[in-house]
Amino acid sequence: MAKHLIDPTDLSKEELEEILDLGQKIIDNREKYSEVCKGKKLATLFYEPSTRTRLSFTSAMMELGGNVLGFSDAKNSSVSKGETCADTTKVINCFADIIAMRHFEEGAAMVAAMNSKVPVINAGDGSHSHPTQTLTDLLTIKRELGRIDNITIGFCGDLKFGRTVHSLIKALSRYEGVKVVLIAPEQLRLPDYMKQEVCEMNGVPYVEVDSMEPVIGDLDVLYMTRVQKERFLDEDEYDRVKDFFILDASKLKNAKKDMCILHPLPRVNEISTDVDSDPRAAYFRQVENGKFVRMALISKLLEWSKDPTKDSQLVPEDAVRGKYVCRNKRCISNIETGVESIFRPALDKPGEMRCLYCESKPQTRENS
């Protein structure tokens, strides 16, 4: 076994703080950490396109003195011949000391971790989770504001399918005094299970609004995401709401002078270029922070891999195997052969179950 990062909650708050603190130490003295991973190899397995995340991991490992191998397109791997995620992982274990995987199938990183003796980092699995972006976001908030607790953060845009939003809300739920403002059209609001299982169960206050202007003055952080036209069945409805979710210089007039503007990038038109010169615009600084926090994460996971007490418990003891089918068609359990159905009890509703791979609800086999 090994210590993996599949979901932000895989790290205790203490482990999270260790990584963020190390990230800051690397920023302050990069030379000191330039050979931490000498002789180690990172495999970057990117089954879907990525610029920032893939290059960030590559740059991070190189700056630690390590080497990088892998692929940037599933067409360039044996998946094009039908190889499963599990088999690919077992093969890569023969070559690499740590794996960073991005995959279009939700739950793929979990399957990889189940079949890996070396640490696996989830670099994004479908619309499910993106924990290293979360680490990037947290380090950026800490550097910009000097704190992570006692903030009001607004999430704007696609909150239904945005994996970066889901991951960051989970992480922030562990901090004191965090308030969440959810700014989205009705079609793209945060899923109910996220509001119940993450916000309500952890005592995180939240409000839902359909325009940023009435609330922007309350925010310490504004986290922008793209409102995706393709998610709307009615194009007229998209045209009606789209301008409410575009940030331009005029909308910043009522914002706090020290508010921090974040975006996981790439952007399309949801942040106007006239915002880029505003000192509150932190999204390009956020990209660089991603490299430093991934340097810290790689270092820590390799360190923790020598400590058996740090091994990840991937399947909870009360999980149910083989009884249910996941209703999410993008879940790896519905796509790849040999992936066992595994469900865990839901935290928000007693008696309900959630897919271990993607957190969706089940359908019984009889009704599948």
Side-chain angles (χ1 to χ4, degrees):
M1 287 291 292
K3 178 72 173 178
H4 308 287
L5 179 60
I6 309 304
D7 184 90
T9 57
D10 292 338
L11 298 171
S12 68
K13 188 178 178 183
E14 292 72 25
E15 290 169 338
L16 186 61
E17 290 295 330
E18 278 189 59
I19 292 169
L20 297 180
D21 289 346
L22 180 55
Q24 185 60 55
K25 289 177 182 176
I26 292 172
I27 292 169
D28 295 338
N29 189 353
R30 292 164 69 172
E31 185 63 29
K32 179 180 177 181
Y33 298 90
S34 62
E35 294 190 353
V36 168
C37 289
K38 186 176 181 179
K40 299 293 185 180
K41 295 182 287 294
L42 166 72
T44 54
L45 311 184
F46 278 63
Y47 289 77
E48 64 178 4
S50 169
T51 301
R52 276 150 299 278
T53 305
R54 184 173 61 85
L55 294 182
S56 181
F57 270 110
T58 300
S59 178
M61 192 59 169
M62 291 173 67
E63 291 204 27
L64 290 169
N67 297 303
V68 182
L69 61 150
F71 54 83
S72 60
D73 189 328
K75 295 177 183 177
N76 298 327
S77 75
S78 290
V79 71
S80 62
K81 304 175 184 176
E83 185 172 66
T84 64
C85 178
D87 281 358
T88 297
T89 303
K90 291 173 184 176
V91 169
I92 298 300
N93 267 236
C94 301
F95 308 132
D97 302 286
I98 186 168
I99 295 170
M101 173 184 282
R102 167 164 289 186
H103 208 294
F104 49 87
E105 295 172 2
E106 296 173 15
M110 174 64 79
V111 170
M114 289 175 170
N115 290 277
S116 182
K117 296 179 290 185
V118 304
V120 172
I121 302 170
N122 182 5
D125 61 331
S127 61
H128 176 229
S129 189
H130 196 352
T132 63
Q133 180 64 50
T134 298
L135 293 174
T136 299
D137 300 338
L138 292 174
L139 181 60
T140 304
I141 293 170
K142 193 169 187 177
R143 295 191 72 197
E144 295 291 321
L145 299 181
R147 68 188 191 281
I148 298 176
D149 55 358
N150 297 306
I151 63 170
T152 298
I153 180 169
F155 292 93
C156 181
D158 179 4
L159 312 188
K160 182 175 183 179
F161 299 100
R163 60 190 174 194
T164 59
V165 172
H166 299 177
S167 291
L168 183 52
I169 290 177
K170 282 184 180 181
L172 288 173
S173 70
R174 297 178 169 190
Y175 288 85
E176 296 293 329
V178 172
K179 299 178 182 178
V180 173
V181 180
L182 304 169
I183 310 164
E186 185 174 354
Q187 299 93 324
L188 298 177
R189 285 186 173 177
L190 192 72
D192 288 341
Y193 83 89
M194 285 289 300
K195 288 181 282 190
Q196 295 164 358
E197 194 168 289
V198 180
C199 294
E200 293 175 10
M201 289 194 65
N202 290 288
V204 178
Y206 69 90
V207 295
E208 293 182 293
V209 297
D210 58 9
S211 177
M212 76 171 74
E213 290 178 288
V215 297
I216 197 168
D218 301 326
L219 305 180
D220 300 299
V221 180
L222 175 59
Y223 196 99
M224 295 294 299
T225 66
R226 180 170 68 95
V227 175
Q228 301 176 66
K229 185 176 182 179
E230 62 270 22
R231 302 297 188 186
F232 286 77
L233 298 177
D234 185 344
E235 190 168 330
D236 290 338
E237 180 65 14
Y238 169 77
D239 290 336
R240 186 183 71 80
V241 303
K242 64 180 181 180
D243 291 338
F244 287 106
F245 307 98
I246 297 176
L247 180 67
D248 56 30
S250 66
K251 291 179 180 176
L252 287 172
K253 291 178 180 177
N254 295 323
K256 294 179 180 179
K257 298 300 181 184
D258 61 349
M259 185 185 76
C260 169
I261 305 167
L262 302 183
H263 192 303
L265 299 180
R267 67 174 165 185
V268 182
N269 67 336
E270 60 276 4
I271 299 180
S272 173
T273 55
D274 65 8
V275 175
D276 292 355
S277 59
D278 192 296
R280 292 168 288 192
Y283 30 90
F284 292 117
R285 297 192 291 275
Q286 185 180 358
V287 173
E288 187 173 25
N289 288 333
K291 177 184 67 176
F292 296 124
V293 84
R294 288 181 176 102
M295 290 174 71
L297 174 64
I298 291 168
S299 300
K300 281 295 179 183
L301 287 180
L302 287 173
E303 175 189 324
W304 292 337
S305 67
K306 303 172 186 175
D307 181 356
T309 67
K310 289 286 190 178
D311 287 353
S312 296
Q313 182 182 1
L314 298 173
V315 182
E317 294 180 358
D318 55 357
V320 176
R321 297 174 180 265
K323 183 177 180 181
Y324 303 103
V325 174
C326 182
R327 65 174 60 180
N328 176 11
K329 300 303 180 185
R330 298 185 302 274
C331 179
I332 192 169
S333 66
N334 286 323
I335 299 173
E336 291 201 0
T337 58
V339 177
E340 183 182 25
S341 163
I342 306 176
F343 280 76
R344 62 162 177 83
L347 300 177
D348 55 327
K349 292 184 178 179
E352 288 196 0
M353 305 295 287
R354 295 278 179 196
C355 177
L356 186 69
Y357 305 107
C358 72
E359 300 181 82
S360 295
K361 293 180 180 179
Q363 55 187 3
T364 61
R365 289 197 183 277
E366 290 77 11
N367 296 326
S368 61

